[in-house]
Amino acid sequence: MLKEHDVVTVKVDLPESGLSAGDVGAVVHCYPGQDAYEVDFVDERGQAKGVATLPGSRLLRLNLASLLAAS
């Protein structure tokens, strides 16, 4: 289960939302009693890309500590 402020990536292309697999965003709202999350996405420069409501099955939580250690 995801929580607000988790950093996530999209697992699959979602052309209807203008998102591609690998796009990164932050959970800004968790819908109570549902597996649905509102996510604010940004591009590689940190510019706003859009907001989408997606089921948890289409999202993967990122572990930023491991990403930073690898760079």
Side-chain angles (χ1 to χ4, degrees), residues 5-26:
H5 308 292
D6 278 349
V7 177
V8 297
T9 187
V10 179
K11 292 182 183 180
V12 296
D13 290 338
L14 300 169
E16 68 279 6
S17 299
L19 299 170
S20 300
D23 282 348
V24 175

Side-chain angles (χ1 to χ4, degrees), residues 2 5-9 24-25 60-71:
L2 299 171
H5 308 292
D6 278 349
V7 177
V8 297
T9 187
V24 175
L60 176 66
R61 186 174 60 87
L62 297 177
N63 180 340
L64 291 182
S66 64
L67 291 174
L68 293 174
S71 54

